[in-house]
């Protein structure tokens, strides 16, 4: 059994797709399938149920995933721990990213980190099902750090540190009936055709929860996982209206941004393993992100 085989297995387990896992592991799909197949043959069990259109982990695969992730995490920490003896910080940091980080200039931090520590490789991942999906990967060690938007849970094995919070605002065109207002009650927005992220995304969930808390239901016929710059174009062309973080709305001066009452607050957390379990490179990047948030 080789570490590379474990990496291939964990990639497939995380993506539940051999094609996406091959892209993530930077190998051709045939090589990845062969690697996982040899691992199953060596273990004498099937790790994946391939009988359906979408593969899933078998009970044995679920158990093996947790152990394999721990082995890979331990191996990486062990490798990174000797960086002090080489005089250079080295290693790899897998970071789960968000579609937007609001006022947090994460690219600036990543650029500065790369300049300061050129021998550390940062691998960015973008979840297609919302950032809460990162939490299980942090817990099992297959992801080092993640930016999590409005998490739906706080797992015991995951350290969650608040990086940023800011209000969400209602954004519409200048000719919208509400455009002359400075603020709007959320109960006044039940008739709006909202543009929103899919339901599993944190930014969508906090809006839906705010409507529910007010005893009404949001009408969101347009569900798209788009950058806000693209979503703003939909608003400009009259497709609908949208809730945005205030920092994103500030980038669209031609649109009207109205404060919402009761306030809808968006929070971004930095998720990681416990501080004592972080490798040197991961700990340094986490420190830089926390410093950015404090500043």
């Amino acid at each position: 059994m080789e570490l590379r085989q474990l990496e291939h297995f964990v990639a497939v387990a995380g993506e539940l797709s051999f094609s996406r896992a091959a892209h993530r592991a930077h190998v051709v799909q045939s090589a990845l399938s062969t690697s996982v197949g040899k691992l199953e043959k060596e273990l004498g069990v099937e790790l994946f149920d391939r009988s359906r259109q979408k593969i899933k982990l078998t009970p044995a695969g679920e158990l093996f995933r947790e152990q394999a992730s721990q082995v890979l995490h331990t191996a990486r920490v062990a490798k990174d721990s000797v960086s002090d003896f080489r005089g250079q910080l080295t290693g790899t940091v897998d970071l789960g990213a968000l579609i937007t980080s609001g006022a947090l200039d994460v690219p600036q931090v990543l650029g500065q980190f790369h300049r300061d520590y050129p021998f550390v490789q940062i691998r960015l991942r973008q979840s297609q099902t919302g950032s809460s999906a990162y939490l299980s990967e942090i817990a099992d060690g297959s992801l080092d750090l993640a930016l999590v938007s409005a998490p739906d849970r706080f797992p015991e094995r995951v350290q969650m540190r608040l990086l940023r919070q800011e209000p969400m605002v209602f954004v519409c065109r200048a000719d919208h009936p509400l455009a002359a207002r400075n603020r709007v009650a959320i109960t006044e927005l039940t008739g709006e055709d909202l543009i929103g992220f899919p339901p599993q995304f944190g930014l969508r969930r906090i809006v839906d929860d705010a409507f529910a808390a007010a005893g009404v239901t949001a009408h969101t016929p347009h569900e798209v996982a788009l950058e806000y710059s693209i979503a703003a174009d939909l608003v400009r062309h009259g497709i609908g209206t949208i809730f945005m973080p205030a920092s994103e709305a500030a980038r669209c001066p031609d649109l009207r941004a109205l404060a919402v009452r009761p306030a809808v607050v968006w929070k971004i957390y930095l998720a990681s393993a416990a501080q004592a379990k972080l490798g040197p490179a991961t700990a340094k990047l986490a420190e830089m992100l926390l410093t950015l948030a404090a500043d």
Side-chain angles (χ1 to χ4, degrees):
M1 185 185 305
E2 301 175 358
L3 287 178
R4 192 62 176 162
Q5 288 177 300
L6 298 183
E7 290 175 352
H8 291 164
F9 162 72
V10 168
V12 178
E15 300 291 342
L16 292 180
S17 163
F18 279 89
S19 59
R20 290 197 300 269
H23 179 74
R24 170 173 154 180
H26 306 291
V27 296
V28 296
Q29 185 174 337
S30 58
L32 182 130
S33 298
T34 299
S35 176
V36 173
K38 287 182 177 179
L39 179 62
E40 290 178 311
K41 184 176 181 180
E42 180 178 346
L43 295 172
V45 295
E46 289 188 346
L47 300 173
F48 296 100
D49 180 353
R50 301 171 176 82
S51 62
R52 303 176 185 179
Q53 187 173 5
K54 184 176 181 179
I55 66 170
K56 67 176 185 177
L57 285 164
T58 63
E62 291 279 7
L63 182 62
F64 188 70
R65 177 188 182 181
E66 182 173 353
Q67 301 301 323
S69 297
Q70 290 180 8
V71 169
L72 291 173
H73 179 71
T74 301
R76 188 169 9 175
V77 171
K79 179 181 177 181
D80 294 348
S81 67
V82 301
S83 61
D84 288 343
F85 293 95
R86 293 193 296 266
Q88 291 282 356
L89 192 64
T90 61
T92 302
V93 181
D94 289 321
L95 173 65
L98 294 171
I99 289 179
T100 176
S101 299
L104 285 173
D105 195 347
V106 175
Q108 175 191 353
V109 171
L110 298 182
Q112 186 62 54
F113 185 90
H114 178 68
R115 290 189 291 273
D116 291 347
Y117 309 105
F119 298 107
V120 177
Q121 180 185 13
I122 298 176
R123 298 188 298 200
L124 293 175
R125 295 190 200 169
Q126 180 69 63
S127 171
Q128 301 302 308
T129 58
S131 62
S132 287
Y134 293 141
L135 298 179
S136 59
E137 295 181 75
I138 292 288
D140 66 26
S142 57
L143 196 60
D144 298 308
L145 295 172
L147 301 175
V148 180
S149 168
D152 56 357
R153 62 189 188 280
F154 289 77
E156 290 185 4
R157 290 191 294 167
V158 178
Q159 180 177 222
M160 303 284 283
R161 289 174 282 187
L162 182 64
L163 287 179
R164 179 82 181 186
Q165 60 181 7
E166 62 177 286
M168 300 284 286
V169 294
F170 173 72
V171 176
C172 61
R173 286 168 32 137
D175 59 357
H176 189 280
L178 296 171
R181 306 257 301 268
N182 290 323
R183 62 180 56 82
V184 63
I186 203 158
T187 51
E188 298 178 80
L189 302 175
T190 54
E192 293 294 321
D193 289 337
L194 294 175
I195 301 165
F197 287 99
Q200 63 269 33
F201 280 72
L203 279 160
R204 167 68 180 279
R205 194 170 54 252
I206 61 173
V207 172
D208 285 350
D209 289 349
F211 274 83
V216 294
T217 302
H219 178 57
T220 311
H222 311 297
E223 294 183 354
V224 286
L226 297 175
E227 293 183 2
Y228 277 116
S229 59
I230 301 175
D233 281 339
L234 296 178
V235 177
R236 291 185 181 100
H237 289 286
I239 303 302
T241 52
I242 192 171
F243 280 79
M244 286 187 183
S247 59
E248 289 287 348
R251 299 187 176 105
C252 308
D254 59 314
L255 298 176
R256 288 287 294 135
L258 283 66
V260 179
R261 296 292 180 268
V264 182
V265 180
W266 177 48
K267 298 181 179 180
I268 299 177
Y269 290 83
L270 178 64
S272 70
Q275 189 69 28
K277 295 183 178 181
L278 299 182
T282 299
K284 179 56 68 174
L285 180 55
E287 178 188 328
M288 293 180 68
L289 288 168
L290 290 165
T291 298
L292 168 68
D295 292 341

